[in-house]
Amino acid sequence: MPPLVSGPLPKIGAGLRMLRDPTDFFYSARAEHGDTYAVDCFGYRLLCVFSPEGVKNLWAVPEEQASKGLADYALLRHKVPDELFAGRRTRPHDLFRSDDTASYLANLERALDDQIEEMGRQGSAELFALTRRIGHRLGLASWGGVVGECAKYLDRLIPALDRLDAADSFVHPHHGLWAMVTRKSAARRAIRELDKVFGEVIEAREREGLDPDDLFARICASWSDVEGDARKQGIARDIVLIHMGSMSNLFAALAWTLVHLLERPEIQERARHDSDLLDRVTFETIRLRQRSIVLRQCLQPTELADEKTVYRASPGVFLTTMMSVTNTTALPDLDGFDPGHFHGPRFKRVEELPAKELVTTFGHGRHACPAQVFSIAAIRRTVERLLGHYTFTRKFRDPQPLRRQLGGVARADRPCRVDYRLR
Ligand code: HEM
């Protein structure tokens, strides 16, 4: 048994301390107990590893042994009702096959046209809200069938999706407690609204005739053996689950990329005409703003070794590390922003690392993000279009990652307001 971090109340353990500031919690526990320790929180047991050997071995554990899918579900189910997960036929993993990325990027151009038209010649905006709206437009056009005439449904879909927002379970983990008290009633209302509005979208799109290559059409086809409202509900919930997955990281990484560029006018000016530099800024932004917890829930007794000991974790235990701790401490001088750390997707100091898994942007091995190429292209294109069209004036100072966040790319701890006007 490694050192155990817990608390006076057995059901809660170290849970409340962890919820206050998870990154600081894991960081401080490591300073006190060493690179490997166990944590009890809210009835869960975590086996936490931070040493090179421990982290490398954690990323290599097969899904059949210790599952990422089950661990994600454990995190999300505090906020999202079970009926959204049950019976899904299309999952986020199915989004990046063959040439789908090209069609998503075409939708991105249209989403940006619409966004720029809505923004007009000048105005003000909050960067995370702006990029979130672009993310909704892009995703709902790419897999939600919300194109052409159906764009009129956006104003009903976006508020309902934001109320359901699965990412809330790791961005504001303490909200999970409120969701439990209220039996997730707000999320359930949002699901009913989404069933209804997507039902109308499906009818409208089917009247027009579907493009069979479209992902939306493929989702509809996968429900062809079901009829009536059950079919529409199945399609709607497939779309909602995929869309929520897509909204976990991308819009926040895009917003931080803009933040970092607006804070550095000289890099901004060069990056507007140099897409390699822009990609380096994006990868460095993701490295620095990662708040992802890596969680795998053991399905069977599982061995995890660090440099000194082989630990045996029982079924139910979560194998854990935290990217926000290792990404900034694995080598000296990793706590500051420097796009020179990357050459394309490659972290240039990887040879200095005792294990390459100690720095991560899009993950490693079998669970690495299937959306990496798409996400980098989407951020590049959006930044090019927004900075090409407008001059932005920064109205914020020194935003930092939201302290309570326990997963995904950080949200900001304060509004990041900007004024903009046509170039
Ligand atoms: C900048 C944007 C993004 C970042 C930084 C990012 C990061 C990551 C990371 C670190 C993982 C691995 C997590 C782990 O192993 O515990 C992951 C997995 C995944 N991501 Fe992303 N992601 C991004 C965008 C997206 C988008 C837009 C989608 C979908 C539309 C997506 C879908 C997925 C899926 C399905 C997995 C799970 C893969 C598996 O389990 O095999 N990601 N992502």
Side-chain angles (χ1 to χ4, degrees):
M1 183 69 191
L4 176 66
V5 186
S6 190
L9 301 171
K11 275 272 175 224
I12 294 180
L16 295 177
R17 256 189 301 150
M18 183 199 283
L19 284 189
R20 260 199 300 278
D21 186 340
T23 297
D24 184 63
F25 171 83
F26 286 112
Y27 184 88
S28 308
R30 184 187 185 191
E32 192 177 339
H33 300 288
D35 283 341
T36 303
Y37 53 86
V39 174
D40 280 348
C41 62
F42 300 122
Y44 298 113
R45 172 155 291 178
L46 315 181
L47 172 58
C48 306
V49 287
F50 291 94
S51 73
E53 198 60 20
V55 173
K56 185 175 90 177
N57 291 334
L58 165 49
W59 279 100
V61 178
E63 174 72 14
E64 310 74 63
Q65 186 89 31
S67 164
K68 166 168 162 41
L70 205 62
D72 287 347
Y73 174 62
L75 203 58
L76 296 179
R77 66 188 297 251
H78 291 297
K79 166 84 198 293
V80 180
D82 279 351
E83 57 263 33
L84 194 65
F85 296 103
R88 297 288 49 85
R89 296 187 175 187
T90 312
R91 298 165 316 137
H93 300 71
D94 302 325
L95 287 184
F96 294 94
R97 290 184 185 162
S98 63
D99 56 353
D100 285 339
T101 298
S103 80
Y104 303 155
L105 291 175
N107 285 327
L108 175 65
E109 294 298 338
R110 280 192 287 274
L112 290 168
D113 290 342
D114 293 346
Q115 188 60 44
I116 285 172
E117 192 181 320
E118 187 177 287
M119 288 166 72
R121 300 174 64 82
Q122 61 181 30
S124 57
E126 197 286 320
L127 284 178
F128 285 75
L130 170 65
T131 58
R132 196 172 167 86
R133 192 158 173 83
I134 293 171
H136 278 312
R137 285 184 189 279
L138 160 67
L140 291 173
S142 295
W143 38 81
V146 184
V147 290
E149 283 290 295
C150 286
K152 66 175 185 235
Y153 293 107
L154 277 177
D155 287 338
R156 285 167 67 197
L157 290 171
I158 290 178
L161 286 163
D162 283 342
R163 255 182 289 135
L164 182 59
D165 190 13
D168 208 38
S169 51
F170 53 81
V171 173
H172 299 103
H174 57 299
H175 288 184
L177 300 175
W178 178 244
M180 264 190 296
V181 172
T182 57
R183 295 172 185 268
K184 305 176 195 170
S185 59
R188 292 211 155 89
R189 273 200 306 281
I191 292 176
R192 282 198 295 276
E193 171 74 359
L194 289 165
D195 284 347
K196 191 158 153 251
V197 185
F198 273 118
E200 293 174 37
V201 172
I202 294 161
E203 277 172 21
R205 288 295 311 276
E206 289 186 331
R207 270 199 305 275
E208 289 166 13
L210 297 175
D211 169 357
D213 291 333
D214 189 15
L215 178 58
F216 173 70
R218 297 206 311 263
I219 298 173
C220 293
S222 75
W223 287 87
S224 55
D225 59 327
V226 181
E227 287 184 356
D229 286 348
R231 174 169 171 273
K232 282 190 253 171
Q233 189 182 82
I235 297 169
R237 293 184 181 184
D238 274 7
I239 294 169
V240 170
L241 203 66
I242 288 175
H243 188 66
M244 287 197 311
S246 80
M247 294 299 288
S248 299
N249 291 319
L250 180 54
F251 85 91
L254 170 57
W256 279 113
T257 304
L258 287 165
V259 165
H260 288 154
L261 287 168
L262 297 185
E263 286 177 334
R264 295 165 181 80
E266 193 257 332
I267 298 185
Q268 183 195 157
E269 208 36 49
R270 284 197 289 135
R272 281 205 314 122
H273 310 287
D274 178 348
S275 52
D276 289 344
L277 173 59
L278 183 48
D279 289 357
R280 293 205 299 275
V281 169
T282 305
F283 277 105
E284 176 67 348
T285 293
I286 294 170
R287 178 189 72 77
L288 207 57
R289 299 310 181 194
Q290 260 297 3
R291 281 299 178 271
S292 280
I293 189 166
V294 183
L295 279 179
R296 308 288 187 255
Q297 188 170 20
C298 294
L299 301 171
Q300 31 183 309
T302 300
E303 290 188 347
L304 183 63
D306 65 11
E307 283 72 1
K308 294 187 217 128
T309 310
V310 181
Y311 297 95
R312 191 164 298 115
S314 312
V317 169
F318 290 79
L319 310 180
T320 308
T321 190
M322 185 86 182
M323 294 181 200
S324 46
V325 173
T326 53
N327 271 9
T328 51
T329 58
L331 294 172
D333 304 324
L334 285 186
D335 52 350
F337 177 84
D338 177 3
H341 282 141
F342 282 89
H343 180 73
R346 186 171 175 277
F347 179 62
K348 283 206 296 200
R349 296 176 66 189
V350 71
E351 310 299 341
E352 293 173 54
L353 288 170
K356 68 174 188 327
E357 293 80 1
L358 291 176
V359 169
T360 180
T361 48
F362 285 89
H364 302 278
R366 246 188 77 185
H367 287 300
C369 182
Q372 171 171 337
V373 172
F374 162 70
S375 299
I376 294 296
I379 293 175
R380 186 193 309 134
R381 195 59 197 133
T382 307
V383 172
E384 279 171 359
R385 293 247 353 232
L386 288 177
L387 296 185
H389 204 77
Y390 296 112
T391 306
F392 286 87
T393 309
R394 183 160 61 96
K395 297 286 173 190
F396 56 85
R397 268 189 57 198
D398 202 24
Q400 296 298 318
L402 195 66
R403 280 177 34 198
R404 285 186 188 271
Q405 193 168 332
L406 176 66
V409 172
R411 279 46 167 178
D413 65 351
R414 68 203 72 181
C416 295
R417 292 198 189 288
V418 288
D419 287 346
Y420 61 86
R421 64 181 161 70
L422 219 51
R423 270 192 189 274

